[in-house]
Amino acid sequence: MQSIEESPVDVRQLLINNRYWAESLRARDPEFFARLARQQKPEFLWIGCSDSRVPANEVVGLMPGELFVHRNVANMVVATDMNFLSVLQYAVDVLEVRQVIVCGHYGCGGVRAALGHEELGLIDNWLRALKALYHQNLERFAGLSAEQKVDLLCELNVQRQVRNVCHTTIVQNAWRRGQPLAVHGWIYGLHDGLVKDLQVTVENAGQLDETFLYE
């Protein structure tokens, strides 16, 4: 096993960075961490990709404590993913977030892999739903370049995951009890750092297909 001393990246620098970051925040606001430790009350739940180039808080200019975050490969919302469902339930029922944001990004490696045929391992099972989404929309990909196909599937994926969030009993129960909750679909551009609203916001069960409604 490679020791820290032999590592090409010195992880001790991260500890130095952390101290500088904490000291900088305390210099601006001496009570910041004391307040943060007392309560967590974010307005937003961010469901994003694990990609290291998409740092959730920084992308939207929010401080620690303002954004509850769940990330996975290709920002997927899977009905059998207990990790995701636990995060969603805690965010909606306990923290009472008012906005859920599903944010994908152009050039997503997971989406690119789903469009290919190379066997990558366990991740292939996770991305199978993306392959199905591509197959369901084949006519929309006709005549597109390889990169255009990736970006279109990135957008379609966000749109699908917004619906998947809304199809959960967690979200529908919140609406049923009158809790204000909106689910948005955004996509981030790696090339310019800008977020695009895909205009697929859902704010109530009346916007869903009856097939996916619970009583």
Side-chain angles (χ1 to χ4, degrees):
M1 180 179 294
Q2 193 174 38
S3 69
I4 290 178
E5 288 74 20
E6 296 170 337
S7 173
V9 177
D10 191 345
V11 297
R12 290 170 296 193
Q13 183 60 46
L14 303 185
L15 297 174
I16 296 171
N17 294 348
N18 167 255
R19 292 188 183 93
Y20 176 78
W21 172 78
E23 289 168 3
S24 298
L25 282 179
R26 279 195 295 266
R28 282 184 283 166
D29 182 355
E31 295 301 311
F32 177 79
F33 288 108
R35 283 198 313 274
L36 198 62
R38 286 193 295 268
Q39 184 180 24
Q40 175 180 217
K41 193 63 178 174
E43 288 281 326
F44 311 96
L45 166 62
W46 174 281
I47 302 168
C49 182
S50 298
D51 195 300
S52 62
R53 299 168 294 178
V54 192
N57 283 68
E58 293 180 37
V59 163
V60 289
L62 292 181
M63 296 291 287
E66 296 180 321
L67 191 69
F68 200 58
V69 177
H70 175 79
R71 297 172 70 177
N72 60 50
V73 175
N75 43 274
M76 301 288 286
V77 174
V78 179
T80 55
D81 181 359
M82 296 304 294
N83 187 341
F84 162 73
L85 291 174
S86 298
V87 170
L88 181 65
Q89 188 272 328
Y90 187 78
V92 173
D93 293 351
V94 180
L95 298 178
E96 297 183 336
V97 299
R98 300 170 69 94
Q99 315 285 341
V100 177
I101 300 163
V102 179
C103 188
H105 66 94
Y106 290 118
C108 178
V111 171
R112 191 183 305 278
L115 283 169
H117 301 282
E118 180 183 356
E119 181 182 342
L120 300 173
L122 185 62
I123 190 68
D124 298 322
N125 300 282
W126 179 255
L127 299 175
R128 190 174 299 147
L130 279 174
K131 284 186 175 290
L133 183 60
Y134 170 67
H135 181 73
Q136 292 161 9
N137 293 274
L138 278 176
E139 71 285 351
R140 299 186 59 176
F141 292 86
L144 298 182
S145 69
E147 205 59 34
Q148 288 172 329
K149 288 180 179 180
V150 171
D151 287 346
L152 175 56
L153 189 54
C154 288
E155 291 184 351
L156 294 177
N157 182 42
V158 169
Q159 294 168 13
R160 174 61 58 86
Q161 305 318 320
V162 165
R163 292 281 163 172
N164 286 348
V165 171
C166 297
H167 294 164
T168 65
T169 55
I170 296 165
V171 168
Q172 292 189 29
N173 285 338
W175 284 332
R176 191 175 295 112
R177 61 179 175 259
Q179 184 174 332
L181 183 64
V183 184
H184 311 275
W186 294 356
I187 193 159
Y188 174 76
L190 296 174
H191 63 288
D192 59 11
L194 297 179
V195 172
K196 175 183 176 182
D197 186 348
L198 293 178
Q199 304 295 324
V200 291
T201 296
V202 182
E203 298 176 294
N204 58 73
Q207 295 175 256
L208 303 178
D209 188 288
E210 186 178 357
T211 302
F212 298 98
L213 296 180
Y214 296 94
E215 296 181 356

